[in-house]
Amino acid sequence: MLVDPHFFRDSTEMDRDQLSEVFDLIEVRGVLSGGFAARGPWVSRGALGTPLKFFALVSGRARLTTDGIDSSVELEPGDVAVLNNRSWLELEGGTGDATRREILPEENDPSTDLLGVDFDTDDVVVGGRVELNPTGQALLLQALPPVGHVRGSAATANNLRGTIHRLFDEVSTRRIGAEFAIRQHVQLLVLEMVRAYAYQVELPPGWLRVLTDERLRPAIGLMHADPGKPWGLDELARAAAMSRTSFAERFRTVAGVPPLAYLGRWRMLLAQQALRDGDVRVGALASKLGYTSESAFSTAFKRQVGLSPLRYRQRVRTQEFGGPRCTGL
């Protein structure tokens, strides 16, 4: 039997937040790795060892340079930079004639470096990483540019700015329960980064763009609420109050794939989660996801992920699996 089968919901439950669903499936986890306050000229440079890194500027100004971009990124208070599969980073800030002090970008306990901060004179930076399961890496890395610059000054970034300051407050004061609070605030910071980024730029076709499209949201809700149903274009188009042709064209433009291809990929995300987290039989999973036979499901799974369902489960559980070929939604 399925373990925690929350994603096989009653088909009337269509108002669930779809971004939250995807975040649950790809197991998004934000981790605070360091931070510092600097007064006067400073620079911090070094190699990056994780696929998704982020830096939030609490106060001051800084200039970010990394591989894969033509010019540096100017960061202002409340800004966040998300680095997608970059190999090195240089952050530079401060003013004055003093010799530029080098700050090592090693991971540290930021509370030891954030005491006595003066927001009027200091540049304050906190940094972290976004951890995801292999499917999540494929999804999020595909949806983001080499450097995602989220502007804290934008009207849509109020929650982002507030989260950054609440995180800084917990890090710098270290009140009772601070470690728990920091974990929660970093999680929210990752969510607010994605939200603010989605509102500030023209997203490329893909899962993040389709989840933010109000016209297509009713149809996406149907597919997510009942992934095992054999949905047709006519029914999905009616849910979106569009003609069949207009719906199909808009969906392909926004999602990058036709509606039924999106449904197939959504099913594969659910299948990967079920195989990772439970002992569900492949035949039962195939039936739940709308496949007519176990062999049809296994063929579709191998075509999308690169491994058979049983082999995928074995590789994931023995930690030999370096990441599926599936590009997700």
Side-chain angles (χ1 to χ4, degrees):
M1 115 178 246
L2 288 174
V3 176
D4 189 25
H6 64 278
F7 44 79
F8 298 120
R9 301 180 302 281
D10 188 285
S11 61
T12 61
E13 186 188 343
M14 294 182 294
D15 57 351
R16 178 170 163 82
D17 173 17
Q18 292 143 16
L19 181 59
S20 295
E21 284 185 305
V22 174
F23 268 37
D24 286 341
L25 281 172
I26 65 179
E27 300 173 321
V28 173
R29 178 171 176 259
V31 179
L32 185 70
S33 59
F36 62 85
R39 191 170 303 173
W42 59 271
V43 63
S44 180
R45 57 172 70 94
L48 298 174
T50 54
L52 274 177
K53 292 281 291 183
F54 67 85
F55 295 89
L57 193 65
V58 183
S59 67
R61 296 179 182 276
R63 182 168 54 256
L64 182 150
T65 308
T66 187
D67 55 311
I69 60 176
D70 296 330
S71 59
S72 58
V73 177
E74 301 292 333
L75 300 177
E76 298 181 349
D79 285 9
V80 177
V82 184
L83 278 69
N84 177 3
N85 249 347
R86 301 301 91 199
S87 60
W88 59 268
L89 165 80
E90 180 177 282
L91 274 173
E92 187 177 39
T95 58
D97 299 328
T99 302
R100 194 169 296 278
R101 176 165 65 99
E102 183 160 358
I103 300 173
L104 296 178
E106 61 191 8
E107 295 194 355
N108 65 314
D109 177 0
S111 64
T112 61
D113 294 327
L114 295 177
L115 298 175
V117 166
D118 184 342
F119 287 130
D120 292 329
T121 59
D122 295 348
D123 297 324
V124 180
V125 179
V126 294
R129 62 183 182 272
V130 182
E131 295 183 347
L132 308 145
N133 62 33
T135 303
Q137 286 195 20
L139 276 176
L140 204 52
L141 295 182
Q142 181 188 60
L144 296 174
V147 177
H149 181 195
V150 186
R151 299 183 185 277
S153 59
T156 54
N158 285 335
N159 288 339
L160 176 65
R161 294 193 299 271
T163 301
I164 290 172
H165 281 279
R166 286 188 290 272
L167 173 61
F168 172 80
D169 182 63
E170 292 292 345
V171 169
S172 59
T173 60
R174 282 291 175 175
R175 294 171 293 177
I176 184 171
E179 290 186 6
F180 179 82
I182 288 169
R183 289 196 298 270
Q184 308 312 309
H185 286 312
V186 176
Q187 287 290 89
L188 287 174
L189 178 59
V190 173
L191 172 61
E192 294 300 345
M193 287 189 304
V194 173
R195 280 175 169 171
Y197 180 74
Y199 284 120
Q200 291 179 24
V201 301
E202 178 68 27
L203 293 169
W207 70 275
L208 188 53
R209 183 173 170 186
V210 78
L211 293 185
T212 60
D213 190 288
E214 292 298 327
R215 292 286 306 277
L216 297 177
R217 185 168 185 167
I220 295 293
L222 287 176
M223 290 187 279
H224 282 212
D226 193 356
K229 183 174 178 176
W231 295 104
L233 278 181
D234 289 337
E235 193 170 8
L236 296 173
R238 281 196 302 271
M242 301 172 69
S243 71
R244 176 188 172 107
T245 300
S246 297
F247 171 76
E249 290 177 351
R250 183 180 181 91
F251 200 103
R252 182 185 284 273
T253 298
V254 172
V257 294
L260 299 187
Y262 176 93
L263 175 61
R265 293 181 177 185
W266 177 244
R267 288 171 171 172
M268 290 301 104
L269 277 180
L270 297 176
Q272 289 172 74
Q273 183 194 45
L275 292 167
R276 285 195 310 268
D277 299 343
D279 295 317
V280 59
R281 296 178 58 183
V282 173
L285 182 59
S287 178
K288 284 285 188 181
L289 290 174
Y291 290 88
T292 56
S293 67
E294 181 176 332
S295 62
F297 167 71
S298 296
T299 298
F301 189 93
K302 188 171 184 179
R303 181 172 60 248
Q304 187 80 12
V305 180
L307 296 170
S308 70
L310 292 178
R311 183 60 175 157
Y312 173 86
R313 171 184 279 161
Q314 179 187 16
R315 294 284 292 273
V316 168
R317 294 189 176 185
T318 57
Q319 297 184 338
E320 299 171 3
F321 192 52
R325 290 190 318 202
C326 172
T327 58
L329 300 175

